[in-house]
Amino acid sequence: MSGSFVEWQARPHDALRDPYFPRRSVSPNDKYAALVAAAGYLPLTLSGEDYLELLPVTWRAINDYGIRLDYRTYDSPELGRWRRQHSGVTAKRGLWEVHCDPYDLSQVFVRTPDGWVTAPWTHLPMICAPFADFTWRHARKLAAQAGRDDTSETEVARVLDELLTRAEAGPQADKASARTAARTRVAAAAHRPPQLEIPAAEPGEQDEPDGQQPAPVIPLGIFDARREADRWPY
């Protein structure tokens, strides 16, 4: 988060006023805290789409071999029609929008005109456990220290697998590797991103047991801060 945005959130603004002290301007953070204190807080679970939108973004070309990201190659048959094509985003020189989870580098997500495409890492079968960005960077460092090519994803994948295998088997050879392996295990255990929503079946495709009809779904109302604020006495 940029420093300017943090300052804007904490700085009082003329457009935000305390209803009981109208001469006093408040910051967005203060206003949000007051609304939560008065009306409560309703946490909303992120959907798979929301999760993807919030991931870090990078822009890459879709080549014949797939997508290259930090010496890793990601590919999927679903990228076939978009290979060596212009994305249509001229501001990014025709590159494609790629979202990547730094705590799970096993796959990336590419935004296409037809929707999201999930592209797995091509060397994923060589790895025994999930890994994060900091795990990959440490594996590259170990490869370089051992005189191996740290720009070859095959070599780094071997070192990465050795690192994760030692983590599963017992003590590490050095403290830095031990800390990295421990962080990787904790990240893998705690990081459970939501799944992408599967499109609903077409009418007639979904069978109900014994001819029963599905129970009606009654959605819960969503808290509307503006409407709630209108009820306050001024």
Side-chain angles (χ1 to χ4, degrees):
M1 183 178 293
S2 65
S4 60
F5 182 76
V6 174
E7 294 172 1
W8 187 90
Q9 285 289 111
R11 187 176 67 247
H13 297 274
D14 289 337
L16 294 176
R17 298 283 176 172
D18 188 321
Y20 296 104
F21 302 95
R23 294 185 178 180
R24 176 190 173 190
S25 60
V26 296
S27 71
N29 286 344
D30 291 337
K31 192 67 173 179
Y32 177 79
L35 289 172
V36 170
Y41 173 69
L42 176 62
L44 298 178
T45 303
L46 292 179
S47 68
E49 288 284 340
D50 295 331
Y51 170 75
L52 292 187
E53 294 288 355
L54 293 172
L55 290 177
V57 180
T58 187
W59 295 83
R60 292 290 187 274
I62 303 178
N63 295 299
D64 292 334
Y65 55 80
I67 296 170
R68 192 75 167 166
L69 181 61
D70 194 16
Y71 301 104
R72 298 183 305 275
T73 304
Y74 296 87
D75 196 17
S76 168
E78 297 181 57
L79 294 176
R81 62 178 299 190
W82 310 115
R83 301 182 193 277
R84 303 177 66 180
Q85 299 297 313
H86 194 287
S87 67
V89 183
T90 55
K92 296 297 182 179
R93 307 188 309 279
L95 299 178
W96 294 82
E97 183 180 347
V98 180
H99 292 226
C100 180
D101 186 342
Y103 291 98
D104 181 10
L105 300 185
S106 64
Q107 58 192 359
V108 297
F109 309 93
V110 188
R111 191 195 298 275
T112 72
D114 292 341
W116 291 100
V117 171
T118 302
W121 183 36
T122 57
H123 285 58
L124 189 60
M126 296 180 60
I127 309 302
C128 66
F131 66 101
D133 177 67
F134 59 82
T135 323
W136 173 262
R137 285 187 278 106
H138 186 72
R140 287 194 61 202
K141 180 179 179 181
L142 292 177
Q145 291 175 346
R148 301 161 77 168
D149 185 1
D150 68 329
T151 64
S152 167
E153 61 182 321
T154 301
E155 283 298 315
V156 178
R158 292 193 179 104
V159 175
L160 179 62
D161 183 61
E162 293 168 4
L163 172 65
L164 297 175
T165 300
R166 290 200 306 270
E168 293 292 334
Q172 300 294 306
D174 61 271
K175 292 183 179 180
S177 295
R179 288 193 298 268
T180 301
R183 288 181 61 196
T184 303
R185 289 195 301 270
V186 171
H191 190 60
R192 291 292 184 269
Q195 298 295 322
L196 282 175
E197 296 179 2
I198 300 175
E202 295 295 330
E205 290 184 356
Q206 192 171 14
D207 297 329
E208 293 295 330
D210 301 327
Q212 297 179 0
Q213 296 297 321
V217 177
I218 303 175
L220 294 175
I222 302 301
F223 172 66
D224 188 331
R226 294 180 181 274
R227 182 175 298 177
E228 184 67 26
D230 290 339
R231 301 176 184 174
W232 292 10
Y234 285 90

